[in-house]
Amino acid sequence: MANPAILTVDDDPAVSRAVARDVRRRYGDRYRVVRAESGRAALEALREIKLRGERVALLLADHRMPEMNGIEFLEAAMDLFPAARRVLLTAYADTGAAIDAINLVDLDHYLLKPWNPPEENLYPVLDALLEAWLAAPDPAVGETRVVGHRWSAPSFKTRDFLARNLVPYRWLTTDEPEGRRLLAAAGVGPDDVPLVVTPDGKSLVKPSAAELAQHVGLITSPAADFYDVVIVGAGPAGLGAAVYAASEGLRTVLVEQRATGGQAGQSSRIENYLGFPDGVSGAQLAERARRQSLKFGAELITAREVVELEPAGSARLLRFSDGTSVSSHSVVLATGVSYRKLTAPGLAELTGRGVFYGSAATEAPSCADQEVYIVGGANSAGQAAVYFSRYARRVHLLVRGDGLTHSMSQYLIDQIEDIETIEVHPHTVVAGAAGDTHLRELTLCDSRTGQAHTVETSWLFVFIGAEPRTDWLHPVVTRDPRGFVVTGSDLLVEGRRPAGWSLPRDPYHLESSVPGVFAAGDVRAASMKRVASAVGEGAMAVSLVHRYLEAQ
């Protein structure tokens, strides 16, 4: 295995050479020193290192660089190597920016230039940071390779699963020589895709999410049979609950069917979350929360679908789709919501082949210089429009209503108005889609006049509606007509407690119709659909879990 890397980036060639020279002189026998002269080049180098399954111990970035400054680079680098230690190189005049960056990018240290002599001003700082990294390094991960068709829905689903779970992989099409060689080596044809080749050389043909997770290093089974609390769903509410439950000593397991972060994890930029004045990507926020929960001792298991909840005396039993189960004293339901499917003709057949629900950030680079259509008028759609505007020739935001003011935060509306390549189309719905191997055109309809017209595009991203994934709770847990979990005083009808309620008290604020089963975040009826409120409800649910357990 190659030595872990130390990456330095500075747009001044002389400074770049000097810092790389000083770092190599001290650490070159144990670390591979990689030098870049722009933030973009440094990110490309990091992506290559990630794909090779190698590790990065330390990042040193100059603050004042054109196009992408040091803070912006370190923020982007966190998605690739969250455990790498981060240092900002600054001039004396930039110390204010460096201090601000401590919260924005979890900055470990900032160094003033010049740092001579390095024995006094550079090496002691780096020694301490490298020692801290060695105590908890990024694990070395081999290369996972995925072979598939560009417009194959199962291939997209596999790539999206790996990307959202931060599993590094290399994508190869069936048209590439190496892709064909891997198919031949696995003894399968070009129609048997996706083919996933794991770091240990095992070939997986059309793997399920659970099979894929097992072979790429994700944890898929709980370590114990019984816990104080099981949290179902690893979105903001579930992660918030896991951090607080584990930090307070509760035996905690977090169960996620797809990927950490939920819908929020797909957001390209969240700018109204407390403590991040310059915004943070959903993936970064989710990854920080995941690491925080694991640090406190929570377990996180992935690719496990919960299909049944059963009260069993004082215990609560959760059954998985494979027939196994886990029990606990209490449960926090934080399954969030999913985007509502469009029902217009042709869309179902093209899902994953040009029609996507959610941001599908893995597809953004492929949209370069093309026309992209986004359906929705809430914050998630607005964030996606801003994000895709970096790549697309033009982004078309399709809104059923007369504008964005009723459903989108003002800061996003202001951003969209300032981006010339985003065009908002009010009173517009998708009436149909057509294509062969992938989406080729959309039929758009004016919701007032009924007049329709056709546009050519290969990209449609849908961000509408909020459907809770709660069918598996029927008939045990009371839900409202839309499927959201009813909690607290809303369960009381004319002052009467819900049928089957066994305790001599009313349900707690976030408690469902089953004692000891709580709901937090978007899945809860009458909840506020925002990241901050979901995190808050996750934390509140844990305080109510404590009250429930103390009374048992």
Side-chain angles (χ1 to χ4, degrees):
M1 181 63 65
N3 287 336
I6 296 175
L7 183 140
T8 71
V9 53
D10 195 305
D11 66 304
D12 185 324
V15 177
S16 178
R17 288 192 296 270
V19 67
R21 178 199 63 221
D22 287 345
V23 170
R24 190 174 290 110
R25 180 190 306 160
R26 176 92 164 194
Y27 307 104
D29 59 332
R30 292 158 287 160
Y31 297 89
R32 185 164 61 92
V33 179
V34 179
R35 182 170 69 90
E37 294 185 0
S38 74
R40 301 292 179 193
L43 281 179
E44 286 301 316
L46 288 180
R47 292 188 183 102
E48 291 181 10
I49 293 171
K50 189 73 171 179
L51 288 174
R52 291 197 297 267
E54 297 174 3
R55 300 169 294 168
V56 173
L58 184 67
L59 301 166
L60 293 94
D62 180 57
H63 174 54
R64 292 195 180 186
M65 294 188 294
E67 295 185 5
M68 175 182 286
N69 66 35
I71 296 174
E72 293 169 337
F73 162 72
L74 291 173
E75 184 182 10
M78 286 174 63
D79 286 339
L80 297 169
F81 292 97
R85 301 295 163 166
R86 291 171 283 275
V87 178
L88 192 68
L89 302 175
T90 71
Y92 182 79
D94 296 325
T95 54
I99 293 171
D100 291 341
I102 290 173
N103 286 328
L104 179 62
V105 296
D106 283 349
L107 193 68
D108 294 294
H109 207 281
Y110 68 89
L111 288 171
L112 294 177
K113 299 187 293 184
W115 54 84
N116 291 326
E119 290 76 12
E120 296 180 11
N121 298 322
L122 179 66
Y123 297 149
V125 171
L126 301 193
D127 285 345
L129 293 178
L130 290 172
E131 183 178 346
W133 180 83
L134 287 170
D138 258 345
V141 179
E143 180 181 69
T144 296
R145 288 163 289 179
V146 180
V147 183
H149 295 306
R150 173 67 189 85
W151 294 109
S152 159
S155 297
F156 162 73
K157 190 174 181 180
T158 293
R159 290 189 293 126
D160 189 59
F161 177 85
L162 293 174
R164 291 184 60 194
N165 282 287
L166 303 180
V167 176
Y169 70 92
R170 185 152 61 99
W171 165 245
L172 301 163
T173 69
T174 55
D175 297 328
E176 296 178 68
E178 186 173 355
R180 292 195 295 268
R181 285 194 293 268
L182 288 174
L183 290 173
V188 296
D191 294 330
D192 298 316
V193 294
L195 168 70
V196 178
V197 182
T198 64
D200 60 1
K202 184 175 180 60
S203 298
L204 308 175
V205 181
K206 299 180 180 179
S208 65
E211 183 183 9
L212 190 58
Q214 290 172 2
H215 288 89
V216 295
L218 301 177
I219 297 173
T220 59
S221 298
D225 296 324
F226 197 89
Y227 294 85
D228 291 321
V229 58
V230 175
I231 302 164
V232 186
L239 289 166
V243 168
Y244 280 90
S247 68
E248 294 170 11
L250 296 179
R251 291 169 297 169
T252 305
V253 63
L254 180 60
V255 182
E256 171 54 45
Q257 181 178 353
R258 187 68 181 166
T260 303
Q263 281 190 6
Q266 300 182 69
S267 295
S268 57
R269 199 98 183 146
I270 300 172
E271 296 189 68
N272 58 352
Y273 189 75
L274 184 67
F276 293 90
D278 296 311
V280 62
S281 76
Q284 289 172 345
L285 193 62
E287 172 59 12
R288 293 183 188 186
R290 183 194 70 84
R291 287 188 282 132
Q292 196 172 13
S293 67
L294 297 179
K295 165 189 164 185
F296 288 124
E299 291 180 34
L300 171 61
I301 61 175
T302 306
R304 297 302 296 270
E305 181 184 7
V306 181
V307 296
E308 186 179 354
L309 168 66
E310 178 186 342
S314 62
R316 302 291 175 259
L317 180 70
L318 290 165
R319 288 193 176 88
F320 299 123
S321 58
D322 64 355
T324 61
S325 62
V326 64
S327 298
S328 62
H329 288 302
S330 61
V331 174
V332 175
L333 303 172
T335 50
V337 294
S338 58
Y339 291 115
R340 182 164 55 84
K341 297 291 193 293
L342 291 177
T343 57
L347 290 170
E349 297 83 355
L350 294 169
T351 298
R353 297 189 292 129
V355 177
F356 304 95
Y357 291 86
S359 68
T362 52
E363 301 301 299
S366 300
C367 299
D369 298 322
Q370 299 189 42
E371 302 283 323
V372 171
Y373 287 77
I374 294 174
V375 180
N379 279 9
S380 55
Q383 290 160 353
V386 173
Y387 178 65
F388 280 99
S389 69
R390 304 175 191 171
Y391 300 89
R393 180 192 313 123
R394 181 164 291 275
V395 176
H396 301 269
L397 191 55
L398 311 180
V399 185
R400 178 184 291 271
D402 57 5
L404 303 174
T405 55
H406 298 299
S407 54
M408 188 177 294
S409 296
Q410 188 61 45
Y411 81 91
L412 266 177
I413 296 175
D414 293 341
Q415 285 185 25
I416 288 171
E417 290 177 347
D418 289 339
I419 300 175
E420 294 181 356
T421 55
I422 298 179
E423 183 176 350
V424 180
H425 301 265
H427 305 292
T428 303
V429 297
V430 177
D436 39 30
T437 58
H438 66 281
L439 176 66
R440 297 284 189 182
E441 62 181 35
L442 292 173
T443 300
L444 306 181
C445 182
D446 188 310
S447 59
R448 299 165 299 178
T449 65
Q451 184 176 0
H453 67 282
T454 300
V455 296
E456 293 185 0
T457 184
S458 296
W459 306 100
L460 177 68
F461 299 90
V462 182
F463 300 83
I464 60 168
E467 295 183 341
R469 295 169 287 183
T470 58
D471 289 346
W472 60 279
L473 294 171
H474 180 77
V476 178
V477 174
T478 299
R479 302 174 298 153
D480 70 9
R482 297 175 59 199
F484 291 92
V485 177
V486 182
T487 61
S489 60
D490 290 339
L491 289 164
L492 305 179
V493 179
E494 297 181 352
R496 296 192 302 272
R497 295 163 185 158
W501 186 262
S502 59
L503 300 180
R505 60 164 177 82
D506 291 347
Y508 294 139
H509 176 55
L510 301 182
E511 196 167 21
S512 74
S513 58
V514 177
V517 176
F518 301 84
D522 290 1
V523 74
R524 190 178 69 83
S527 66
M528 181 179 178
K529 305 300 188 279
R530 288 290 186 268
V531 173
S533 61
V535 173
E537 287 195 4
M540 186 189 301
V542 172
S543 70
L544 297 175
V545 165
H546 277 295
R547 290 175 62 184
Y548 171 78
L549 294 178
E550 289 166 358
Q552 297 304 299

